[in-house]
Amino acid sequence: MISYIGSFLILLALLNASLLVLSKPVLSKITSGYDALILSTSKLQFPLVLIAFICLIISFVDDDFSLKYISSNSNSALPFFYKISATWAGHEGSMLLWCLILSFWTFMASIYSKSLDMQFRIKFLSVMGFLNLGFLLFLVFTSNPFEKNISIPIDGKDLNPLLQDFGLIVHPPMLYMGYVGLSVVFSFAVTCLLQNDFKKEWARWIRPWALMSWSFLTLGIALGSWWAYYELGWGGWWFWDPVENASFMPWLITTALIHSLITCEQKSMFKNWTILLSIMAFSLSLLGTFLVRSGILISVHSFANDPARGAFILLFLTIVVGGSLLIYFRNSPKIKDNISFDFFSRESFFLINNILLVTATFTILLGTMYPLFLDLLGLEKISVGVPYYNAVFLPIMTPLALLAGYIPILFLSKNKDKKYLINHLFMSLLVILFLSFFSMIFFDNFNFSTLLGVFIFIWISFNIIYDLIKRYYVSNTRNVFFINIGMTLAHLGLAVFILGATIVENNKIEKEIVAKIGETIKIKNYAFKFTNLSQYEGPNYTGIKAQFLVYENNTLITELYPEKRIYASNDMPMTEAGIDPGLSRDLYITLGSLINDDVWSIRIYHKPFIRLIWLGALMMVLGGVLSVLSKRKRMKIAPLR
Amino acid sequence: MKMIKYFIYSGICLLFMQSIATADTKLNDALYNQMITEIRCMVCQNQNIAESEAPLAIDLRNKVREMVDEGKDEDYIKKYMSERYSDFILYEPSFSPRNLILWIGPFLFLAIISYYFFRRSFKK
Amino acid sequence: MKIKIPLIIFIFFISILFFGLFIETKLIQSPLIGKKLPNYELVELNTGYKSDIRMLPRETFLLNIWASWCLECIREHNTLTIINEDKKLKIVGVNYKDKREDALGWLSIYGNPYIYNIYDYTGELGLDLGVYGVPETFLVDKNRVIRAKYIGAITNDIYQQEIIPMIEKINEDD
C-alpha cells in the first residue's frame, strides 16, 4: 500500500520538475506571473521526494517483498537499522536518495536566493529544475525502487554483509550531499553565462555553497576511508579504486574552485576560469555517478552492471556537460574579465594552486580511464593502481602542500609580496637540506618521505600559527584568531592529514605469522598473546572469535577480538579486525585462515599516527563549515543587482 | 628575528624524526607486504591479494612469501607474475611504449597548462 | 575557431565512455601463448606414475584444467566427451587442487574423456600456467608450445568455430 503512495509521489515530483523547467520558456510568452510558479515548484520538489523516500523506508521495515528492490536487498532476519539503511544500499534506492538530496539543495537554493535579481534567480532555479527532471526521468524509466516483482518471494535475499555496518550507512548520504551540492554552483555558473555577466559580488554569494559541498565531500570521503580501514581487514585507507577516484576528482576541483572564488571576489579576476571550474566540478560528479552504475570499470563499489542504464546516464551527462560547455565557449568572451597580474604576488599563488589541483585531477582521470582506453583499442588489458598514483600524484601535490605555508602573505601589505616570497622560498630549501643531512648522519633508518611529511606539517602549521600570534601582539585583539578561523582550521587540518599519511605509510609495521593458542607475538615493545578461540552464532552469521591479550612493556593494556564471520547469504568469509585505536598509533590484528588443527595465520599491524589522517580530514570539514557560518554572521549580504 | 623561526622549525622537525625514525625494519616484512598490495587477485578482481580470501590469492601470497624468502627482488617477483598472468595482474603499469601517454601525460599536461596561463597572465 | 580543440577532446572522451559500455569484457589474453609448457615433474592421477613433459602426447592436444568441486566443469564435460569421440584431438586433464578420491569418483560418475590426468594437488602447475578460474583449456602443439587458451567451459560452438580451425592452422604451419 505504502509503496503505491511512494510511486505516485515520484510521478508527482516528475510533473513538478517539468513545471519548474518549462515555466519560463513556455509561460513567459503567455503571462508574466510565472515567477511565483517557479518559486513554489522549486520548493515543492523537496517534500514530494522526501515523503516518497520515507515510503520506501517504511516498505523496507515492513518487509514488503512485493517490491523487487526490497526483495533483492533485504530479508526478514536483517536487523532493524540495517533494514532502514538498506534503502540506499542498492542502485535504485541510492538513486532515489540522490534525487532527494538534489531536491533538498534546490529547496535551499530557492529559499536563500532572495537577494538575487529576479531574472537571474528564475533562470538559476530553472537550471536546477532541469537537473531534477533528468534524474527523476532516469529513476522512473530505468531504476524505479517501487517496481513490483512478478511473483512475490517468501523472503528476500540478504543485504551484502559488507554493507551491514555503521560507517557504510553514513558514508553515501554525506558523499551525495557533497556531489549534489555542486549542482548549485553549476547552475549558478551556467546562469551567469546565460546572462553574459559575472559580477564579483556573485562570487561572494556562491562561495558558501561551494564550501558546504566541499565540506560534505571531505566528510564523505573520510568516512569511506575510515570504514575501509576497520572493515576490510588489511589496514589500508585508500586504494585509488576507480570509484574512490571519482569522488576525489570533484573534491580537488572544488578546492580549486574555492580558491578561485576568492581571487574572483577580491580582485575581479579569473571570472571565466571560475565558471569553468564550477562546470567541471559538477561534471565530474556526474561522471562519478556514471562510472559506478554503468559497469564500465572494475571496482569494489560497482552496482550491478547494466549498459542500458549506463547509456541513459551517459546521454544525460553529454547533454548537461556538453550543453554547458557549448554555452561556455559561446558566452564567456562576452564576460568582462581580467587575468593579468604580477608574477611575484599573492595572485600567483592562487593560480599555481589551481594549476596544480587541475593537473592532479587530470592525472587521476588519466589513470582511471587509461585501461579502458587501451582495451577499446584492442591492446592488452592493464591495471593502473597504487604504485602509479604514488609515483605521479605525490610529486604534484608536494609543491601544493608547500604553498599552504605561504598563507600569512595574505595579511601583508602588497608591496612586501615579492620580498616575502623570495625569503621564504630560500629559507625553506635551506632548512630541508640541513635537516636531510643531519638526519642521514644521526638517524639509523632515515627515510626522506617521512622527513618531507614532517617538514610540510611543521612548515604549514608553524607558519600559520606563528603569523597568528604575531598579529595578535600587533593588534592586541583576539579577533585575529577568529576572523579566518575556517581557513586556518582547514589548512591546519591539511597539515595534520599529510603528517599522518606520510608517517604511517613509511613507518608502519606489518607482520604475518602462524600461531596457535598460548603463543605470544612481539612487535616493538608490544606483546600479543593468543589466548582463546571460540565459535558463536550472530543474528545472520556464524562467527569465529579469537582473543588476544595485548601487553605494552609487559603491562596488560587491552584485549583484542579479531573475528571471521560467515554469513548465510555469502560464501566468502568476512574479516572483523581487532583494533586498539590511539592518536599516536593503532594496533590492528586480523585472523587469517586455519592452517591445520589449531594453527592459524595471523596478521598484526602497528600503524603510527594513522588517526591523524581522519583527524586532519575532520578539521578540514569543520574549517569549511566555520567558514560558511562566520561569513554569514559577518556580512549582511547586500541585495545583488 | 626571522632566523629564529627557522631554527625552531628545524628543532621541532628533528624531535619528531627522532621519535618516529626508529621503526625496526628487520621486523617488517617490507618487500612481502609491499608486493601483496601490488598484485591483483585474478578471482576477485577488485581486490589485491593482501585482502582477498580467494584460494588463488592465498596461493599467490604463499608464492610471494617463498620468493621473498629465497632472496628474490621486486623485479623478479613482478616478472614472475606477469609472465604467467599478463600485465593485468600488476597494479603498476609497465614502462612500455604502450603506456607512454600514461606516464608522461600528467607532466605534459602540467607543462601545457602552465604555459597557457603564464602567457595569458603575464603579457606585459 | 577556439572551440574546436575542446570540442574534439569532449567528443573523444564521451566516445570512450560510450564504446566502453558495450565492450565485451575481454578475458585476459594469456602471455603464455607461443611459449613452451613448463617442464615439471608430472604425477599421473590414477596410478601415481611420475614423469615429466615427455609424458605428453607428441601431437596437437588439449590440456584441460578441471576439478571435482568445479560446477562449470560438469557443463563442459559433454563437449569434452564429444571431442574425445571425434577422435581428432587427444585431451590430457590436469586435476587442479583436488582430492584424488574426489577426482576419481567424479570421473567414474561423469565419464572420462581424458587419455590420462595429471595430479596437481598443490596448484603449482596451475600457477605456472596462469590458471585463475577452472575450467581453463590450453591447445598445445606437438612441440609442447601453447598455441591458444580458452577460459571457461568449452562449448560445442567453441570447438567447431575456434578449436578446429586452430588445429588446421597449426597443421598448415608445419
Side-chain angles (χ1 to χ4, degrees):
Chain A
M1 184 74 271
I2 300 275
S3 64
Y4 289 111
I5 299 179
S7 256
F8 178 63
L9 284 169
I10 298 282
L11 289 173
L12 271 186
L14 194 60
L15 187 62
N16 190 62
S18 314
L19 272 177
L20 176 54
V21 177
L22 295 171
S23 285
K24 180 164 192 315
V26 171
L27 292 182
S28 60
K29 311 266 190 304
I30 311 171
T31 154
S32 65
Y34 57 86
D35 304 10
L37 188 60
I38 289 189
L39 291 178
S40 11
T41 47
S42 60
K43 295 194 187 78
L44 186 59
Q45 191 75 4
F46 177 51
L48 286 174
V49 184
L50 178 63
I51 299 178
F53 192 77
I54 293 175
C55 288
L56 188 60
I57 296 182
I58 295 176
S59 302
F60 260 97
V61 172
D62 277 347
D63 284 335
D64 183 356
F65 297 124
S66 69
L67 294 183
K68 200 155 116 177
Y69 179 63
I70 297 185
S71 65
S72 315
N73 287 289
S74 172
N75 68 25
S76 41
L78 194 62
F80 178 73
F81 283 110
Y82 294 136
K83 280 187 188 167
I84 297 182
S85 70
T87 313
W88 58 87
H91 167 73
E92 295 86 343
S94 72
M95 224 43 238
L96 186 58
L97 179 64
W98 182 285
C99 291
L100 174 64
I101 294 180
L102 184 55
S103 68
F104 172 71
W105 282 105
T106 310
F107 178 76
M108 297 298 267
S110 187
I111 308 181
Y112 285 104
S113 53
K114 293 198 182 76
S115 56
L116 292 175
D117 167 54
M118 196 41 126
Q119 277 308 306
F120 188 96
R121 194 178 179 196
I122 288 174
K123 283 192 187 145
F124 170 51
L125 292 173
S126 299
V127 176
M128 292 222 61
F130 180 77
L131 295 174
N132 272 282
L133 182 62
F135 278 103
L136 278 170
L137 282 171
F138 176 65
L139 187 83
V140 168
F141 285 109
T142 74
S143 326
N144 197 338
F146 295 106
E147 190 184 322
K148 292 279 190 194
N149 267 317
I150 301 175
S151 63
I152 302 177
I154 304 172
D155 207 342
K157 299 189 202 144
D158 202 6
L159 179 63
N160 185 335
L162 275 178
L163 303 178
Q164 297 181 26
D165 178 272
F166 171 75
L168 229 48
I169 294 179
V170 195
H171 162 65
M174 292 298 107
L175 213 47
Y176 286 10
M177 283 294 284
Y179 273 143
V180 180
L182 292 172
S183 65
V184 178
V185 189
F186 170 83
S187 305
F188 194 90
V190 170
T191 313
C192 288
L193 286 170
L194 292 172
Q195 300 281 81
N196 293 325
D197 195 6
F198 189 22
K199 298 194 176 46
K200 74 175 190 185
E201 295 81 35
W202 294 353
R204 191 202 301 158
W205 190 88
I206 199 72
R207 183 142 58 114
W209 299 90
L211 278 165
M212 276 316 280
S213 302
W214 182 87
S215 298
F216 276 113
L217 266 181
T218 313
L219 183 59
I221 294 174
L223 280 169
S225 161
W226 174 64
W227 172 83
Y229 171 72
Y230 72 75
E231 182 59 37
L232 292 180
W234 59 286
W237 53 273
W238 188 258
F239 315 91
W240 295 108
D241 174 82
V243 175
E244 280 179 341
N245 295 348
S247 69
F248 194 40
M249 290 190 283
W251 186 89
L252 289 167
I253 295 292
T254 311
T255 309
L257 177 62
I258 292 170
H259 289 86
S260 184
L261 280 168
I262 295 175
T263 350
C264 209
E265 180 186 329
Q266 292 178 352
K267 298 284 187 302
S268 215
M269 279 189 202
F270 287 111
K271 291 178 185 167
N272 285 322
W273 174 245
T274 305
I275 291 178
L276 190 60
L277 282 176
S278 309
I279 295 177
M280 277 208 275
F282 186 60
S283 304
L284 287 168
S285 267
L286 287 180
L287 180 66
T289 309
F290 171 75
L291 289 176
V292 193
R293 296 163 198 276
S294 62
I296 209 175
L297 294 173
I298 303 168
S299 158
V300 63
H301 287 83
S302 304
F303 291 103
N305 302 358
D306 191 342
R309 285 174 178 163
F312 192 115
I313 303 182
L314 189 58
L315 181 65
F316 187 58
L317 204 155
T318 313
I319 295 174
V320 172
V321 179
S324 52
L325 284 177
L326 267 171
I327 301 175
Y328 176 80
F329 283 106
R330 203 190 61 178
N331 290 16
S332 59
K334 299 181 194 156
I335 298 181
K336 265 188 337 166
D337 199 8
N338 165 31
I339 57 168
S340 298
F341 52 88
D342 277 328
F343 184 71
F344 283 110
S345 70
R346 57 200 67 183
E347 283 76 37
S348 263
F349 274 174
F350 285 96
L351 180 61
I352 297 176
N353 161 297
N354 271 213
I355 289 177
L356 288 172
L357 283 166
V358 173
T359 306
T361 307
F362 172 78
T363 306
I364 298 176
L365 188 62
L366 182 64
T368 308
M369 310 261 49
Y370 202 72
L372 180 61
F373 172 63
L374 283 187
D375 205 4
L376 282 171
L377 288 178
L379 296 173
E380 203 183 328
K381 267 188 134 159
I382 62 162
S383 297
V384 177
V386 175
Y388 171 76
Y389 293 104
N390 281 344
V392 177
F393 183 77
L394 294 179
I396 296 173
M397 292 311 262
T398 308
L400 188 64
L402 288 169
L403 275 183
Y406 283 91
I407 288 177
I409 201 182
L410 297 174
F411 303 106
L412 290 179
S413 60
K414 272 223 73 163
N415 54 10
K416 295 205 178 134
D417 276 3
K418 187 165 179 175
K419 189 164 154 233
Y420 181 90
L421 285 170
I422 298 181
N423 274 348
H424 241 43
L425 189 64
F426 177 68
M427 284 311 293
S428 61
L429 287 172
L430 205 62
V431 170
I432 269 221
L433 270 165
F434 163 69
L435 288 173
S436 303
F437 276 123
F438 193 93
S439 310
M440 269 194 283
I441 300 172
F442 289 100
F443 295 136
D444 298 322
N445 302 310
F446 172 64
N447 179 291
F448 185 70
S449 299
T450 311
L451 175 64
L452 197 58
V454 172
F455 175 75
I456 290 177
F457 168 74
I458 307 263
W459 173 252
I460 297 177
S461 45
F462 200 79
N463 273 325
I464 294 179
I465 296 176
Y466 181 84
D467 176 72
L468 278 175
I469 297 177
K470 207 169 72 173
R471 281 189 292 132
Y472 171 63
Y473 278 118
V474 164
S475 68
N476 225 344
T477 72
R478 260 185 273 171
N479 218 9
V480 161
F481 293 108
F482 297 108
I483 283 189
N484 286 298
I485 191 168
M487 175 182 83
T488 306
L489 198 54
H491 288 92
L492 286 176
L494 177 69
V496 169
F497 167 81
I498 292 177
L499 184 68
T502 320
I503 294 182
V504 76
E505 289 308 300
N506 291 296
N507 295 283
K508 62 186 172 183
I509 299 178
E510 303 173 326
K511 209 164 153 64
E512 188 171 330
I513 31 106
V514 290
K516 59 174 188 250
I517 297 181
E519 286 179 17
T520 303
I521 305 127
K522 293 205 175 68
I523 290 188
K524 284 185 120 179
N525 54 338
Y526 297 97
F528 301 86
K529 187 162 180 192
F530 188 4
T531 46
N532 194 18
L533 193 72
S534 58
Q535 193 165 316
Y536 73 101
E537 293 294 320
N540 48 351
Y541 61 86
T542 308
I544 300 175
K545 192 190 285 208
Q547 180 191 42
F548 281 83
L549 297 178
V550 186
Y551 299 86
E552 182 177 356
N553 297 324
N554 297 317
T555 330
L556 182 69
I557 53 168
T558 187
E559 292 158 19
L560 292 176
Y561 297 93
E563 284 180 40
K564 266 220 141 41
R565 289 183 189 174
I566 304 180
Y567 284 79
S569 54
N570 205 348
D571 275 332
M572 290 293 191
M574 299 277 139
T575 316
E576 295 288 314
I579 304 179
D580 179 38
L583 207 52
S584 67
R585 93 289 178 276
D586 265 29
L587 298 173
Y588 190 104
I589 305 187
T590 55
L591 207 52
S593 34
L594 185 62
I595 309 286
N596 58 52
D597 284 345
D598 51 351
V599 179
W600 285 81
S601 66
I602 315 271
R603 280 197 201 157
I604 305 190
Y605 301 89
H606 176 269
K607 304 252 183 198
F609 294 106
I610 194 172
R611 300 263 146 187
L612 291 184
I613 291 176
W614 304 301
L615 177 64
L618 286 177
M619 286 168 73
M620 288 195 267
V621 176
L622 195 56
V625 172
L626 285 174
S627 274
V628 175
L629 294 178
S630 65
K631 260 171 196 38
R632 282 175 55 75
K633 285 214 186 87
R634 276 192 304 114
M635 306 179 300
K636 283 227 174 299
I637 301 185
L640 300 172
R641 293 281 170 259
Chain B
M1 187 56 199
K2 287 260 171 77
M3 294 299 284
I4 296 183
K5 192 161 72 162
Y6 295 103
F7 278 114
I8 302 180
Y9 281 165
S10 313
I12 301 178
C13 272
L14 290 172
L15 278 171
F16 253 103
M17 294 296 294
Q18 168 56 255
S19 65
I20 314 163
T22 50
D24 197 332
T25 47
K26 277 189 296 261
L27 250 190
N28 197 8
D29 238 332
L31 184 59
Y32 171 75
N33 285 308
Q34 182 203 339
M35 287 282 87
I36 62 176
T37 62
E38 290 192 18
I39 297 172
R40 192 194 282 271
C41 171
M42 296 300 288
V43 178
C44 302
Q45 290 185 350
N46 50 28
Q47 294 179 312
N48 57 33
I49 60 174
E51 62 179 302
S52 175
E53 304 272 359
L56 179 65
I58 299 176
D59 285 347
L60 287 174
R61 285 206 298 266
N62 289 334
K63 194 74 200 172
V64 173
R65 164 74 65 199
E66 204 182 287
M67 288 191 273
V68 168
D69 286 345
E70 282 168 11
K72 302 281 193 274
D73 67 357
E74 180 175 335
D75 283 336
Y76 181 90
I77 297 174
K78 282 187 174 165
K79 190 153 161 289
Y80 180 91
M81 292 294 161
S82 65
E83 267 174 1
R84 288 154 181 74
Y85 289 94
S86 89
D87 280 349
F88 182 68
I89 200 178
L90 296 175
Y91 275 115
E92 177 169 46
S94 59
F95 293 99
S96 56
R98 194 185 54 208
N99 294 333
L100 187 69
I101 305 176
L102 184 63
W103 285 105
I104 307 280
F107 303 105
L108 201 59
F109 182 87
L110 182 61
I112 295 175
I113 197 178
S114 304
Y115 176 73
Y116 172 77
F117 269 108
F118 280 89
R119 269 212 64 180
R120 286 198 63 184
S121 306
F122 301 124
K123 276 196 281 223
K124 276 273 172 70
Chain C
M1 266 278 286
K2 236 173 44 172
I3 197 175
K4 273 231 177 80
I5 301 178
L7 186 67
I8 295 175
I9 297 177
F10 181 69
I11 294 179
F12 174 68
F13 188 68
I14 297 285
S15 315
I16 293 185
L17 295 180
F18 181 71
F19 289 113
L21 280 174
F22 301 105
I23 193 176
E24 279 277 315
T25 359
K26 240 176 37 183
L27 296 161
I28 324 294
Q29 182 178 36
S30 172
L32 294 169
I33 295 184
K35 300 239 168 65
K36 234 179 139 169
L37 278 178
N39 191 3
Y40 256 90
E41 183 191 77
L42 303 172
V43 180
E44 208 271 323
L45 178 70
N46 213 350
T47 60
Y49 174 69
K50 291 199 177 107
S51 179
D52 58 25
I53 207 173
R54 291 170 291 180
M55 179 160 105
L56 298 170
R58 275 224 159 272
E59 59 186 83
T60 305
F61 69 97
L62 280 180
L63 190 66
N64 174 261
I65 325 287
W66 64 277
S68 65
W69 44 261
C70 154
L71 295 170
E72 280 286 300
C73 302
I74 302 178
R75 235 172 42 99
E76 184 184 52
H77 213 70
N78 282 336
T79 316
L80 291 182
T81 314
I82 295 175
I83 297 179
N84 191 28
E85 281 160 14
D86 224 17
K87 298 272 182 247
K88 282 197 192 127
L89 202 55
K90 292 205 176 113
I91 313 177
V92 175
V94 175
N95 180 246
Y96 178 70
K97 291 173 74 82
D98 207 351
K99 289 206 181 106
R100 185 180 261 124
E101 317 86 65
D102 292 343
L104 292 173
W106 195 88
L107 288 174
S108 64
I109 298 175
Y110 293 102
N112 189 352
Y114 305 106
I115 55 174
Y116 55 82
N117 272 294
I118 298 167
Y119 187 42
D120 184 21
Y121 178 67
T122 57
E124 278 279 325
L125 180 58
L127 209 69
D128 261 349
L129 290 172
V131 168
Y132 63 92
V134 281
E136 288 184 13
T137 312
F138 294 88
L139 187 63
V140 187
D141 71 16
K142 66 177 197 223
N143 296 316
R144 280 63 184 277
V145 172
I146 297 173
R147 303 297 285 255
K149 183 181 183 186
Y150 308 95
I151 299 179
I154 306 263
T155 62
N156 214 351
D157 283 342
I158 297 180
Y159 174 54
Q160 299 291 347
Q161 289 158 18
E162 291 180 37
I163 299 183
I164 294 193
M166 196 69 204
I167 300 174
E168 276 155 32
K169 186 169 173 302
I170 298 173
N171 289 336
E172 275 170 24
D173 287 346
D174 287 339

